Amino acid sequence: MSHASLPISQLELKLYRLGLPKKGETFFFFKINDWSIHDFCKQLGDLVPRITTAIEVQDDQARIAKEQKRARLEGTDSQILDMTGVNIAFSQRGLLQVSDTII
């Protein structure tokens, strides 16, 4: 089995040193049953385009830095910017369960 190298936009965000900027966060936990692996992987395909890339995190961090600089120069408080990020992670067991279906 060969794996192509991934561009930075596809790297898992935890590897990216800045991480997702956030004021708040919500976690969803799920268990993949043996009988639902195929359906889970089909639905995961719908989520993939919504996952925040490392490039998007860089852009969001740049927007935050620009807002903080503006506030400093004007002597005002910086505003909280509207942005949303999506990240997904698997346990080793979960990744092993879906690996044959998604690869």
Side-chain angles (χ1 to χ4, degrees), residues 15-93:
L15 298 176
Y16 191 72
R17 69 179 178 84
L18 296 174
L20 289 172
K22 58 191 153 289
K23 179 181 178 196
E25 58 190 353
T26 302
F27 292 91
F28 294 97
F29 294 90
F30 49 88
K31 181 176 181 179
I32 306 165
N33 298 313
D34 289 338
W35 53 267
S36 67
I37 291 173
H38 182 72
D39 289 339
F40 172 82
C41 290
K42 278 178 59 177
Q43 293 174 7
L44 181 61
D46 294 336
L47 176 65
V48 168
R50 293 179 174 91
I51 295 173
T52 306
T53 66
I55 297 295
E56 291 168 325
V57 172
Q58 285 178 321
D59 293 345
D60 288 345
Q61 292 289 355
R63 286 181 55 213
I64 291 168
K66 183 177 178 180
E67 170 57 19
Q68 290 171 337
K69 181 178 180 180
R70 181 211 56 79
R72 247 188 342 271
L73 291 172
E74 295 178 6
T76 61
D77 292 332
S78 60
Q79 300 296 309
I80 295 175
L81 303 176
D82 186 25
M83 56 183 65
T84 302
V86 176
N87 195 359
I88 187 168
F90 290 90
S91 67
Q92 180 183 8
R93 182 177 175 196

